[in-house]
Amino acid sequence: MLWDRSVGDLRTEAAIGPFAEVEKKMECRIGQGIPGRVMETGVPVWTSDRQSDGRLRDNPFAFKTFVCFPLQTIKGDPLGVANAWFLQEEKTISNYEIDIASTYLTRATLAIENALLHRKEREADKEEGDRQEKAA
């Protein structure tokens, strides 16, 4: 989920798995729900037992284990969150696994940030080209 600064919501940009179609429609306000709180605080949240974790009881997905990581730019600015869940079994998640995932997500965030900057630059180039075409 990436932060759409124009409206202040987290919006799903990519999803895979059995709930992908539902996930693609998901939005979340900053500070609300697990993704919104992770986005707000910059602190990952995970649970290995959804049934006993009050934060997730009302969630419509039938997962057993849930993880939500913040995505932050190199400067520490919030970019969004990454969610993952395990459907079949409760999986105990170690601090080591959280550290490894955080390392990979730091690299993924850099790639996402670069892609967003590239998109913004292309749009600016297109607008400039359109202006020049109209002026000619």
Side-chain angles (χ1 to χ4, degrees):
M1 300 180 88
L2 294 181
W3 183 23
D4 182 341
R5 294 171 194 265
S6 65
V7 294
D9 287 348
L10 286 166
R11 297 181 184 228
T12 302
E13 292 292 322
I16 58 171
F19 300 118
E21 291 308 312
V22 174
E23 288 178 74
K24 288 177 186 176
K25 298 173 188 167
M26 289 177 61
E27 295 180 2
C28 183
R29 304 250 345 118
I30 306 304
Q32 295 180 345
I34 298 291
R37 287 195 297 273
V38 168
M39 174 70 178
E40 185 175 60
T41 65
V43 177
V45 168
W46 66 94
T47 182
S48 296
D49 182 7
R50 173 183 176 247
Q51 296 302 327
S52 65
D53 191 327
R55 300 171 296 183
L56 298 166
R57 270 196 205 113
D58 296 331
N59 192 293
F61 301 112
F63 56 80
K64 306 282 186 192
T65 301
F66 176 79
V67 186
C68 183
F69 292 94
L71 301 177
Q72 297 177 334
T73 66
I74 295 299
K75 294 178 183 176
D77 297 328
L79 187 63
V81 298
N83 300 311
W85 44 68
F86 299 89
L87 297 171
Q88 303 301 321
E89 61 193 43
E90 291 179 7
K91 177 174 175 14
T92 302
I93 300 169
S94 71
N95 288 335
Y96 176 75
E97 290 169 309
I98 294 297
D99 289 343
I100 293 293
S102 293
T103 298
Y104 282 109
L105 286 169
T106 297
R107 291 185 170 105
T109 301
L110 180 59
I112 292 166
E113 185 178 20
N114 284 339
L116 292 172
L117 290 170
H118 181 69
R119 180 193 301 168
K120 187 176 178 180
E121 226 175 273
R122 278 193 345 211
E123 289 170 357
D125 288 346
K126 184 179 180 328
E127 288 174 12
E128 179 62 28
D130 290 347
R131 274 193 294 272
Q132 288 177 0
E133 191 175 291
K134 286 179 184 178

Short mmCIF file of all heavy atoms in Angstrom, two decimals, residues 57-104:
data_model
loop_
_atom_site.label_atom_id
_atom_site.label_comp_id
_atom_site.label_asym_id
_atom_site.label_seq_id
_atom_site.Cartn_x
_atom_site.Cartn_y
_atom_site.Cartn_z
N ARG A 57 -9.20 -9.03 15.13
CA ARG A 57 -10.40 -9.86 15.23
C ARG A 57 -11.45 -9.54 14.19
O ARG A 57 -12.11 -10.42 13.67
CB ARG A 57 -11.01 -9.74 16.62
CG ARG A 57 -10.44 -10.75 17.54
CD ARG A 57 -11.27 -10.93 18.79
NE ARG A 57 -10.35 -11.42 19.80
CZ ARG A 57 -9.98 -10.74 20.86
NH1 ARG A 57 -10.48 -9.57 21.12
NH2 ARG A 57 -9.12 -11.25 21.70
N ASP A 58 -11.64 -8.28 13.87
CA ASP A 58 -12.69 -7.88 12.94
C ASP A 58 -12.25 -7.90 11.48
O ASP A 58 -13.02 -7.53 10.61
CB ASP A 58 -13.20 -6.47 13.29
CG ASP A 58 -13.84 -6.44 14.66
OD1 ASP A 58 -14.38 -7.48 15.08
OD2 ASP A 58 -13.80 -5.38 15.31
N ASN A 59 -11.04 -8.34 11.22
CA ASN A 59 -10.55 -8.36 9.85
C ASN A 59 -11.28 -9.44 9.05
O ASN A 59 -11.44 -10.56 9.53
CB ASN A 59 -9.04 -8.63 9.86
CG ASN A 59 -8.42 -8.37 8.52
OD1 ASN A 59 -8.70 -9.09 7.58
ND2 ASN A 59 -7.61 -7.36 8.44
N PRO A 60 -11.72 -9.14 7.82
CA PRO A 60 -12.50 -10.10 7.05
C PRO A 60 -11.69 -11.24 6.44
O PRO A 60 -12.27 -12.22 5.99
CB PRO A 60 -13.09 -9.23 5.93
CG PRO A 60 -12.12 -8.12 5.75
CD PRO A 60 -11.58 -7.85 7.13
N PHE A 61 -10.37 -11.15 6.43
CA PHE A 61 -9.56 -12.19 5.83
C PHE A 61 -9.30 -13.32 6.82
O PHE A 61 -9.10 -13.09 7.99
CB PHE A 61 -8.23 -11.62 5.32
CG PHE A 61 -8.43 -10.54 4.30
CD1 PHE A 61 -8.10 -9.23 4.58
CD2 PHE A 61 -8.96 -10.84 3.06
CE1 PHE A 61 -8.28 -8.23 3.64
CE2 PHE A 61 -9.15 -9.85 2.11
CZ PHE A 61 -8.81 -8.54 2.40
N ALA A 62 -9.27 -14.54 6.31
CA ALA A 62 -9.13 -15.72 7.16
C ALA A 62 -7.67 -16.14 7.29
O ALA A 62 -7.33 -17.29 7.13
CB ALA A 62 -9.95 -16.87 6.59
N PHE A 63 -6.80 -15.21 7.61
CA PHE A 63 -5.40 -15.55 7.77
C PHE A 63 -5.11 -15.93 9.22
O PHE A 63 -5.86 -15.60 10.12
CB PHE A 63 -4.49 -14.40 7.33
CG PHE A 63 -4.77 -13.10 8.02
CD1 PHE A 63 -4.29 -12.85 9.28
CD2 PHE A 63 -5.52 -12.13 7.38
CE1 PHE A 63 -4.55 -11.66 9.92
CE2 PHE A 63 -5.79 -10.93 8.01
CZ PHE A 63 -5.30 -10.69 9.28
N LYS A 64 -4.00 -16.63 9.41
CA LYS A 64 -3.58 -17.04 10.75
C LYS A 64 -2.51 -16.10 11.30
O LYS A 64 -2.52 -15.77 12.48
CB LYS A 64 -3.01 -18.46 10.72
CG LYS A 64 -3.92 -19.49 10.11
CD LYS A 64 -4.98 -19.90 11.05
CE LYS A 64 -5.77 -21.05 10.44
NZ LYS A 64 -6.96 -21.35 11.13
N THR A 65 -1.57 -15.71 10.45
CA THR A 65 -0.44 -14.89 10.86
C THR A 65 -0.39 -13.66 9.96
O THR A 65 -0.62 -13.76 8.76
CB THR A 65 0.87 -15.69 10.72
OG1 THR A 65 0.76 -16.86 11.54
CG2 THR A 65 2.07 -14.89 11.15
N PHE A 66 -0.07 -12.51 10.54
CA PHE A 66 -0.08 -11.24 9.80
C PHE A 66 1.16 -10.43 10.13
O PHE A 66 1.61 -10.40 11.27
CB PHE A 66 -1.33 -10.45 10.18
CG PHE A 66 -1.41 -9.09 9.56
CD1 PHE A 66 -1.81 -8.95 8.25
CD2 PHE A 66 -1.09 -7.96 10.28
CE1 PHE A 66 -1.89 -7.70 7.66
CE2 PHE A 66 -1.18 -6.70 9.71
CZ PHE A 66 -1.58 -6.58 8.39
N VAL A 67 1.72 -9.76 9.10
CA VAL A 67 2.87 -8.89 9.28
C VAL A 67 2.62 -7.62 8.46
O VAL A 67 2.14 -7.68 7.33
CB VAL A 67 4.17 -9.54 8.76
CG1 VAL A 67 5.37 -8.68 9.07
CG2 VAL A 67 4.35 -10.92 9.29
N CYS A 68 2.93 -6.46 9.03
CA CYS A 68 2.82 -5.19 8.33
C CYS A 68 4.07 -4.37 8.61
O CYS A 68 4.41 -4.12 9.77
CB CYS A 68 1.57 -4.43 8.77
SG CYS A 68 1.30 -2.88 7.90
N PHE A 69 4.78 -3.99 7.53
CA PHE A 69 6.03 -3.24 7.64
C PHE A 69 5.86 -1.84 7.08
O PHE A 69 5.21 -1.66 6.05
CB PHE A 69 7.14 -3.91 6.83
CG PHE A 69 7.59 -5.23 7.35
CD1 PHE A 69 7.05 -6.40 6.87
CD2 PHE A 69 8.57 -5.29 8.33
CE1 PHE A 69 7.47 -7.63 7.34
CE2 PHE A 69 9.00 -6.51 8.81
CZ PHE A 69 8.45 -7.69 8.32
N PRO A 70 6.50 -0.85 7.70
CA PRO A 70 6.49 0.49 7.10
C PRO A 70 7.46 0.54 5.92
O PRO A 70 8.49 -0.15 5.92
CB PRO A 70 6.99 1.38 8.24
CG PRO A 70 7.85 0.48 9.07
CD PRO A 70 7.23 -0.90 8.96
N LEU A 71 7.12 1.32 4.93
CA LEU A 71 8.03 1.60 3.82
C LEU A 71 8.43 3.06 3.97
O LEU A 71 7.57 3.95 3.94
CB LEU A 71 7.34 1.38 2.48
CG LEU A 71 6.79 -0.02 2.21
CD1 LEU A 71 6.07 -0.06 0.87
CD2 LEU A 71 7.91 -1.06 2.25
N GLN A 72 9.72 3.30 4.14
CA GLN A 72 10.22 4.66 4.34
C GLN A 72 11.35 4.93 3.36
O GLN A 72 12.16 4.05 3.09
CB GLN A 72 10.72 4.85 5.77
CG GLN A 72 9.62 4.70 6.80
CD GLN A 72 10.13 4.82 8.22
OE1 GLN A 72 11.28 4.54 8.50
NE2 GLN A 72 9.26 5.22 9.12
N THR A 73 11.40 6.17 2.88
CA THR A 73 12.47 6.56 1.98
C THR A 73 13.80 6.58 2.73
O THR A 73 13.83 6.48 3.96
CB THR A 73 12.21 7.96 1.38
OG1 THR A 73 12.28 8.92 2.45
CG2 THR A 73 10.87 8.04 0.69
N ILE A 74 14.87 6.74 1.99
CA ILE A 74 16.21 6.81 2.61
C ILE A 74 16.27 7.95 3.62
O ILE A 74 16.92 7.85 4.64
CB ILE A 74 17.29 6.99 1.52
CG1 ILE A 74 17.35 5.75 0.62
CG2 ILE A 74 18.65 7.29 2.12
CD1 ILE A 74 17.70 4.46 1.33
N LYS A 75 15.54 9.02 3.36
CA LYS A 75 15.51 10.16 4.27
C LYS A 75 14.61 9.91 5.48
O LYS A 75 14.53 10.73 6.38
CB LYS A 75 15.01 11.41 3.54
CG LYS A 75 15.93 11.88 2.46
CD LYS A 75 15.33 13.08 1.76
CE LYS A 75 16.20 13.54 0.61
NZ LYS A 75 15.58 14.65 -0.13
N GLY A 76 13.90 8.77 5.49
CA GLY A 76 13.02 8.45 6.60
C GLY A 76 11.59 8.93 6.42
O GLY A 76 10.78 8.82 7.33
N ASP A 77 11.28 9.47 5.23
CA ASP A 77 9.91 9.91 4.96
C ASP A 77 9.02 8.71 4.68
O ASP A 77 9.43 7.78 3.99
CB ASP A 77 9.89 10.86 3.75
CG ASP A 77 10.68 12.13 4.00
OD1 ASP A 77 10.73 12.58 5.16
OD2 ASP A 77 11.26 12.65 3.03
N PRO A 78 7.79 8.72 5.18
CA PRO A 78 6.89 7.59 4.94
C PRO A 78 6.48 7.50 3.47
O PRO A 78 6.24 8.51 2.82
CB PRO A 78 5.69 7.90 5.83
CG PRO A 78 5.75 9.35 6.09
CD PRO A 78 7.17 9.76 5.98
N LEU A 79 6.44 6.27 2.96
CA LEU A 79 6.05 6.02 1.58
C LEU A 79 4.81 5.12 1.52
O LEU A 79 4.00 5.24 0.62
CB LEU A 79 7.21 5.37 0.83
CG LEU A 79 7.08 5.17 -0.65
CD1 LEU A 79 6.94 6.52 -1.37
CD2 LEU A 79 8.29 4.44 -1.21
N GLY A 80 4.68 4.23 2.50
CA GLY A 80 3.55 3.30 2.52
C GLY A 80 3.82 2.16 3.47
O GLY A 80 4.64 2.28 4.39
N VAL A 81 3.14 1.04 3.25
CA VAL A 81 3.33 -0.16 4.06
C VAL A 81 3.31 -1.40 3.16
O VAL A 81 2.76 -1.38 2.08
CB VAL A 81 2.25 -0.32 5.16
CG1 VAL A 81 2.29 0.83 6.14
CG2 VAL A 81 0.87 -0.47 4.57
N ALA A 82 3.92 -2.46 3.65
CA ALA A 82 3.87 -3.77 2.99
C ALA A 82 3.22 -4.75 3.96
O ALA A 82 3.61 -4.83 5.12
CB ALA A 82 5.27 -4.24 2.63
N ASN A 83 2.20 -5.45 3.48
CA ASN A 83 1.48 -6.43 4.30
C ASN A 83 1.75 -7.83 3.78
O ASN A 83 1.88 -8.04 2.57
CB ASN A 83 -0.04 -6.20 4.21
CG ASN A 83 -0.44 -4.83 4.69
OD1 ASN A 83 -0.04 -4.41 5.76
ND2 ASN A 83 -1.24 -4.14 3.91
N ALA A 84 1.79 -8.79 4.69
CA ALA A 84 1.90 -10.20 4.30
C ALA A 84 1.15 -11.03 5.33
O ALA A 84 1.07 -10.66 6.50
CB ALA A 84 3.36 -10.64 4.26
N TRP A 85 0.55 -12.12 4.87
CA TRP A 85 -0.11 -13.02 5.80
C TRP A 85 0.03 -14.46 5.36
O TRP A 85 0.29 -14.75 4.21
CB TRP A 85 -1.57 -12.68 6.02
CG TRP A 85 -2.36 -12.35 4.80
CD1 TRP A 85 -2.72 -13.17 3.78
CD2 TRP A 85 -2.89 -11.07 4.48
NE1 TRP A 85 -3.43 -12.49 2.86
CE2 TRP A 85 -3.56 -11.20 3.27
CE3 TRP A 85 -2.87 -9.84 5.11
CZ2 TRP A 85 -4.21 -10.14 2.66
CZ3 TRP A 85 -3.51 -8.79 4.51
CH2 TRP A 85 -4.16 -8.95 3.30
N PHE A 86 -0.13 -15.32 6.32
CA PHE A 86 -0.08 -16.76 6.09
C PHE A 86 -1.47 -17.31 6.37
O PHE A 86 -2.04 -17.08 7.44
CB PHE A 86 0.95 -17.42 7.03
CG PHE A 86 2.34 -16.91 6.83
CD1 PHE A 86 2.80 -15.80 7.52
CD2 PHE A 86 3.18 -17.53 5.92
CE1 PHE A 86 4.07 -15.31 7.32
CE2 PHE A 86 4.47 -17.04 5.72
CZ PHE A 86 4.92 -15.93 6.42
N LEU A 87 -2.01 -18.05 5.41
CA LEU A 87 -3.39 -18.53 5.52
C LEU A 87 -3.50 -19.88 6.20
O LEU A 87 -4.45 -20.13 6.94
CB LEU A 87 -4.01 -18.65 4.12
CG LEU A 87 -4.14 -17.37 3.34
CD1 LEU A 87 -4.56 -17.66 1.92
CD2 LEU A 87 -5.14 -16.46 4.01
N GLN A 88 -2.57 -20.79 5.93
CA GLN A 88 -2.74 -22.18 6.30
C GLN A 88 -2.45 -22.50 7.76
O GLN A 88 -3.08 -23.35 8.34
CB GLN A 88 -1.85 -23.07 5.42
CG GLN A 88 -2.12 -22.90 3.94
CD GLN A 88 -3.55 -23.24 3.57
OE1 GLN A 88 -4.13 -24.17 4.10
NE2 GLN A 88 -4.14 -22.46 2.68
N GLU A 89 -1.48 -21.82 8.31
CA GLU A 89 -1.06 -22.19 9.66
C GLU A 89 -0.55 -20.96 10.41
O GLU A 89 -0.16 -19.98 9.81
CB GLU A 89 0.06 -23.23 9.60
CG GLU A 89 1.28 -22.72 8.87
CD GLU A 89 2.27 -23.82 8.51
OE1 GLU A 89 1.85 -24.88 8.05
OE2 GLU A 89 3.47 -23.57 8.70
N GLU A 90 -0.59 -21.07 11.71
CA GLU A 90 0.03 -20.03 12.51
C GLU A 90 1.54 -20.20 12.37
O GLU A 90 2.06 -21.29 12.47
CB GLU A 90 -0.39 -20.17 13.97
CG GLU A 90 -1.84 -19.84 14.18
CD GLU A 90 -2.30 -19.99 15.61
OE1 GLU A 90 -1.45 -20.24 16.49
OE2 GLU A 90 -3.50 -19.87 15.85
N LYS A 91 2.21 -19.12 12.08
CA LYS A 91 3.65 -19.16 11.90
C LYS A 91 4.29 -18.21 12.90
O LYS A 91 3.97 -17.03 12.91
CB LYS A 91 4.01 -18.73 10.48
CG LYS A 91 5.51 -18.68 10.26
CD LYS A 91 5.85 -18.40 8.83
CE LYS A 91 7.32 -18.23 8.56
NZ LYS A 91 8.27 -18.62 9.54
N THR A 92 5.13 -18.74 13.73
CA THR A 92 5.85 -17.89 14.66
C THR A 92 6.91 -17.12 13.87
O THR A 92 7.69 -17.70 13.13
CB THR A 92 6.52 -18.74 15.76
OG1 THR A 92 5.51 -19.48 16.43
CG2 THR A 92 7.26 -17.86 16.75
N ILE A 93 6.88 -15.82 14.02
CA ILE A 93 7.81 -14.96 13.30
C ILE A 93 8.86 -14.46 14.28
O ILE A 93 8.54 -13.87 15.30
CB ILE A 93 7.05 -13.77 12.67
CG1 ILE A 93 6.00 -14.29 11.71
CG2 ILE A 93 8.03 -12.83 11.96
CD1 ILE A 93 5.03 -13.25 11.25
N SER A 94 10.11 -14.73 13.95
CA SER A 94 11.21 -14.35 14.85
C SER A 94 11.67 -12.93 14.57
O SER A 94 11.41 -12.37 13.49
CB SER A 94 12.38 -15.32 14.67
OG SER A 94 13.00 -15.10 13.41
N ASN A 95 12.37 -12.36 15.51
CA ASN A 95 12.96 -11.04 15.32
C ASN A 95 13.96 -11.05 14.16
O ASN A 95 14.08 -10.07 13.43
CB ASN A 95 13.64 -10.54 16.59
CG ASN A 95 12.64 -10.15 17.66
OD1 ASN A 95 11.50 -9.80 17.35
ND2 ASN A 95 13.05 -10.23 18.90
N TYR A 96 14.64 -12.17 13.99
CA TYR A 96 15.58 -12.31 12.88
C TYR A 96 14.85 -12.19 11.53
O TYR A 96 15.30 -11.48 10.63
CB TYR A 96 16.31 -13.66 12.98
CG TYR A 96 17.22 -13.94 11.81
CD1 TYR A 96 18.44 -13.29 11.68
CD2 TYR A 96 16.84 -14.85 10.82
CE1 TYR A 96 19.28 -13.54 10.60
CE2 TYR A 96 17.67 -15.11 9.74
CZ TYR A 96 18.88 -14.45 9.64
OH TYR A 96 19.70 -14.69 8.56
N GLU A 97 13.70 -12.86 11.42
CA GLU A 97 12.92 -12.78 10.18
C GLU A 97 12.40 -11.36 9.94
O GLU A 97 12.38 -10.89 8.80
CB GLU A 97 11.74 -13.77 10.23
CG GLU A 97 12.19 -15.21 10.14
CD GLU A 97 11.08 -16.19 10.44
OE1 GLU A 97 10.41 -16.03 11.49
OE2 GLU A 97 10.87 -17.10 9.63
N ILE A 98 12.03 -10.67 11.00
CA ILE A 98 11.58 -9.28 10.87
C ILE A 98 12.75 -8.43 10.37
O ILE A 98 12.59 -7.60 9.48
CB ILE A 98 11.05 -8.75 12.21
CG1 ILE A 98 9.76 -9.50 12.62
CG2 ILE A 98 10.83 -7.25 12.16
CD1 ILE A 98 8.60 -9.33 11.68
N ASP A 99 13.95 -8.64 10.91
CA ASP A 99 15.13 -7.89 10.48
C ASP A 99 15.46 -8.16 9.00
O ASP A 99 15.76 -7.23 8.25
CB ASP A 99 16.35 -8.22 11.35
CG ASP A 99 16.24 -7.66 12.75
OD1 ASP A 99 15.40 -6.76 12.98
OD2 ASP A 99 17.00 -8.13 13.62
N ILE A 100 15.39 -9.42 8.60
CA ILE A 100 15.68 -9.77 7.20
C ILE A 100 14.65 -9.13 6.28
O ILE A 100 14.99 -8.52 5.26
CB ILE A 100 15.69 -11.31 7.01
CG1 ILE A 100 16.86 -11.93 7.75
CG2 ILE A 100 15.71 -11.68 5.53
CD1 ILE A 100 18.22 -11.58 7.21
N ALA A 101 13.37 -9.25 6.62
CA ALA A 101 12.32 -8.65 5.80
C ALA A 101 12.49 -7.13 5.73
O ALA A 101 12.32 -6.53 4.66
CB ALA A 101 10.95 -9.00 6.36
N SER A 102 12.83 -6.52 6.83
CA SER A 102 13.06 -5.07 6.85
C SER A 102 14.19 -4.67 5.91
O SER A 102 14.11 -3.66 5.21
CB SER A 102 13.35 -4.58 8.27
OG SER A 102 12.21 -4.72 9.07
N THR A 103 15.24 -5.47 5.88
CA THR A 103 16.37 -5.20 4.99
C THR A 103 15.93 -5.26 3.53
O THR A 103 16.24 -4.36 2.74
CB THR A 103 17.51 -6.21 5.24
OG1 THR A 103 17.96 -6.05 6.59
CG2 THR A 103 18.67 -5.99 4.28
N TYR A 104 15.20 -6.30 3.16
CA TYR A 104 14.72 -6.42 1.78
C TYR A 104 13.74 -5.30 1.44
O TYR A 104 13.76 -4.75 0.34
CB TYR A 104 14.07 -7.79 1.54
CG TYR A 104 15.08 -8.88 1.34
CD1 TYR A 104 15.27 -9.85 2.31
CD2 TYR A 104 15.86 -8.94 0.19
CE1 TYR A 104 16.21 -10.85 2.13
CE2 TYR A 104 16.80 -9.93 0.00
CZ TYR A 104 16.97 -10.89 0.97
OH TYR A 104 17.90 -11.87 0.80
#
